[in-house]
Amino acid sequence: MPAWHIHARRKFDEAQKNDLVRAEHALSLIQKLYNTERKARESQLDYDQRKELRMLEAKPVMNEFYQWLMDNNVLFFISIKL
């Protein structure tokens, strides 16, 4: 999994003091992605099995996250420090 989520998580952690509701929602979605990766690691899945798990569990979360970011203009707000 790309490291974007580490940077995004840090920004949303910082944003909690300015916009708790949206920051917590974003963090909950990121946590779901971490949970999928933990499941893959703990199950010692091979590459193809990880890919399948990610498509099944992480892709819908990513789609939801992307749509939420667009619907809430969050990318704009992050750039001006929620």
Side-chain angles (χ1 to χ4, degrees):
M1 177 176 246
W4 69 265
H5 54 86
I6 297 167
H7 302 292
R9 181 178 166 82
R10 185 175 333 113
K11 291 294 185 182
F12 284 110
D13 274 335
E14 294 169 4
Q16 288 184 83
K17 57 189 156 212
N18 298 315
D19 191 339
L20 184 63
V21 173
R22 288 195 295 175
E24 284 186 343
H25 181 73
L27 290 169
S28 73
L29 292 173
I30 293 169
Q31 187 59 48
K32 288 180 183 181
L33 298 172
Y34 278 112
N35 292 343
T36 298
E37 291 304 306
R38 184 181 312 108
K39 184 188 294 186
R41 186 177 56 256
E42 289 174 356
S43 300
Q44 299 180 342
L45 302 180
D46 65 26
Y47 175 82
D48 290 329
Q49 292 169 321
R50 284 178 188 253
K51 181 179 177 183
E52 185 176 334
L53 180 65
R54 288 173 178 153
M55 293 300 289
L56 182 67
E57 293 186 10
K59 185 177 180 185
V61 175
M62 291 295 298
N63 290 339
E64 178 184 352
F65 195 34
Y66 175 79
Q67 191 60 54
W68 178 81
L69 289 169
M70 295 299 107
D71 291 347
N72 289 279
N73 295 313
V74 172
L75 297 178
F76 170 75
F77 289 111
I78 289 173
S79 68
I80 60 168
K81 300 239 185 227
L82 286 174

